[in-house]
Amino acid sequence: MSRGVRMVMLGRQGAGKGTQCVRLSRHYVVPHISTGDMLRAAVREGTPLGRKAHEIMNNGGLVPDDLMIDIVDDRLDRDDTTSRGYILDGFPRTVGQAEALEKITASLPLDLVVDLHVATEVVLERLASRRVCADCGHNYSVDAPPKYGWVCDNCGGDVVQREDDKPDAISKRLAEYEANTAPLIEWYRDRGLLEVVDGLGPADEVTERLYAVVDARRSS
Ligand code: ADP
Ligand code: ZN
């Protein structure tokens, strides 16, 4: 099997990170590590972490760095990630998290960081129409609903609007992104790791753009 990749995916909420990360993870045969999915699973299961995170997430705030860093540190320590790599989605989200990740990955550094770029006006529309399967997380929209009612094509779960995709939480999350996460773009550019990929246009075309930048970094 060819070698995998170690990468971080940055991008505004609604840029299409989730969809693209699933594709990249199949293509490069590495786990897709989404901290949002991990937190939502913890909330569903009612773990201590889930109980701490629930309220914060519904309001569109950020879970404290120390909690997030522990979760990611544990996950990146497992055999699948140390042998093949990973695609990190939703982490780092603050400079503090990026600094911690730099230490965690000191012996196996990142190959690249992608900024999947989509303007705020566009993501606002995408988020307002986004619907998601409560069970498997598959994404739909009011313009591209499941085949039968609001029942997931994949797994039969209920397709709903995420609590944090409602208007108040959306503006809070986007402001959070500009304040805390956007500075990471320069931070990674300074370290020579950044690739900016245009997230506009058909999903398949975006995927091809991503393969191109990832392949260039893996072979260099
Ligand atoms: P999105 O990027 O669409 O807002 P995610 O699914 O990545 O959604 O994350 C959902 C929520 O989980 C965030 O709004 C935040 O409350 C919490 N979260 C996820 N990852 C992190 C992180 N690295 N640091 C802090 N909070 C996080
Ligand atoms: Zn489903």
Side-chain angles (χ1 to χ4, degrees):
M1 208 186 324
S2 71
R3 109 172 163 77
V5 64
R6 290 185 294 273
M7 70 178 279
V8 164
M9 183 76 93
L10 297 176
R12 288 195 177 85
Q13 292 82 356
K17 280 180 307 212
T19 307
Q20 297 298 337
C21 285
V22 168
R23 295 178 180 196
L24 290 168
S25 130
R26 292 199 185 123
H27 187 82
Y28 294 105
V29 200
V30 292
H32 168 209
I33 302 178
S34 157
T35 47
D37 287 348
M38 290 166 89
L39 290 171
R40 280 184 288 275
V43 169
R44 271 200 305 278
E45 288 157 18
T47 66
L49 167 69
R51 286 198 295 272
K52 274 185 210 149
H54 194 179
E55 190 82 352
I56 301 173
M57 292 172 72
N58 278 353
N59 291 325
L62 287 184
V63 175
D65 278 358
D66 54 339
L67 279 180
M68 295 311 303
I69 291 164
D70 278 350
I71 297 173
V72 170
D73 195 4
D74 281 351
R75 184 61 189 87
L76 294 187
D77 216 23
R78 302 222 310 244
D79 288 347
D80 56 345
T81 52
T82 52
S83 63
R84 295 211 38 89
Y86 48 82
I87 299 169
L88 259 180
D89 167 11
F91 186 98
R93 241 184 176 84
T94 64
V95 171
Q97 292 180 12
E99 284 165 352
L101 182 63
E102 198 172 38
K103 293 200 186 95
I104 293 169
T105 58
S107 57
L108 290 170
L110 293 170
D111 294 312
L112 77 161
V113 174
V114 170
D115 172 28
L116 186 60
H117 187 82
V118 177
T120 307
E121 306 83 75
V122 178
V123 300
L124 273 173
E125 277 173 37
R126 289 190 187 173
L127 288 170
S129 69
R130 173 158 83 177
R131 299 294 181 274
V132 43
C133 173
D135 290 334
C136 76
H138 192 85
N139 276 316
Y140 299 90
S141 80
V142 289
D143 312 310
K147 286 204 192 67
Y148 307 104
W150 290 101
V151 174
C152 179
D153 294 338
N154 259 357
C155 78
D158 282 340
V159 175
V160 299
Q161 181 168 40
R162 267 166 52 174
E163 206 49 51
D164 61 356
D165 278 346
K166 297 185 174 161
D168 284 355
I170 289 180
S171 31
K172 174 115 189 266
R173 284 157 65 212
L174 285 171
E176 197 75 69
Y177 182 87
E178 297 312 325
N180 292 303
T181 311
L184 292 181
I185 293 169
E186 288 316 310
W187 198 88
Y188 280 120
R189 202 193 304 277
D190 289 346
R191 284 159 180 74
L193 286 170
L194 188 77
E195 293 284 353
V196 180
V197 171
D198 182 2
L200 275 188
D204 289 348
E205 283 174 25
V206 176
T207 308
E208 291 302 325
R209 290 175 206 147
L210 287 165
Y211 290 163
V213 298
V214 173
D215 287 342
R217 288 278 175 165
R218 289 161 81 237
S219 55
S220 64

